């Protein structure tokens, strides 16, 4: 599990719901972080990596590595995925979240 050195912007968020440190790295897009697009897919990989994606781009230049603490501060509702098993994804479809095993 990769981590980043957090500054005061992240710190240790109140009521941290996850079982790993807040400075754990996650991948997202600049569109998610700017609020232009919602998170519609969450992936939890076998290597304990996380992705929070909008699925509007596949351009690597649109990607960002952020710390989970900062992501949680901006989107506290992601705590609903604290028990998402490795090698699983959650995707938003038909107004609800669906969970499936990654292939």
């Amino acid at each position: 599990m990769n981590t980043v050195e957090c500054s005061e912007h992240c710190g240790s968020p109140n009521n941290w719901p996850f079982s790993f440190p807040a400075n754990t790295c996650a991948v997202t897009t600049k569109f998610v972080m700017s609020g232009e697009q919602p998170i519609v897919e969450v992936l939890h990989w076998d290597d304990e990596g996380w992705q929070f994606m909008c699925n509007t781009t596949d351009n690597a230049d649109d990607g960002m590595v952020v710390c989970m603490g900062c992501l949680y501060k901006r989107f506290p509702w992601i705590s609903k995925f604290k028990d998402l098993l490795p090698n699983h994804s959650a995707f938003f479809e038909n107004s609800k979240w669906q969970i499936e095993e990654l292939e």
Side-chain angles (χ1 to χ4, degrees):
M1 178 175 354
N2 293 323
T3 60
V4 292
E5 189 158 328
C6 286
S7 62
E8 293 177 23
H9 69 89
C10 171
S12 182
N14 292 335
N15 303 316
W16 179 244
F18 295 93
S19 61
F20 48 81
N23 66 335
T24 297
C25 294
V27 175
T28 189
T29 69
K30 63 184 181 182
F31 304 116
V32 166
M33 292 306 287
S34 70
E36 292 176 58
Q37 295 291 329
I39 296 168
V40 296
E41 185 172 29
V42 178
L43 300 110
H44 186 189
W45 299 102
D46 276 341
D47 65 1
E48 297 298 327
W50 288 84
Q51 288 181 256
F52 294 83
M53 308 305 289
C54 59
N55 291 348
T56 61
T57 181
D58 58 2
N59 185 336
D61 291 338
D62 295 331
M64 296 179 68
V65 176
V66 298
C67 70
M68 287 285 290
C70 291
L71 197 64
Y72 173 70
K73 278 187 170 182
R74 183 161 176 89
F75 307 104
W77 60 267
I78 66 169
S79 64
K80 71 171 60 185
F81 302 111
K82 67 184 173 86
D83 296 321
L84 185 65
L85 295 173
N87 200 40
H88 282 77
S89 70
F91 56 96
F92 196 70
E93 185 175 78
N94 299 323
S95 302
K96 62 183 178 178
W97 286 96
Q98 309 287 327
I99 296 176
E100 65 181 29
E101 189 169 2
L102 294 169
E103 296 179 8

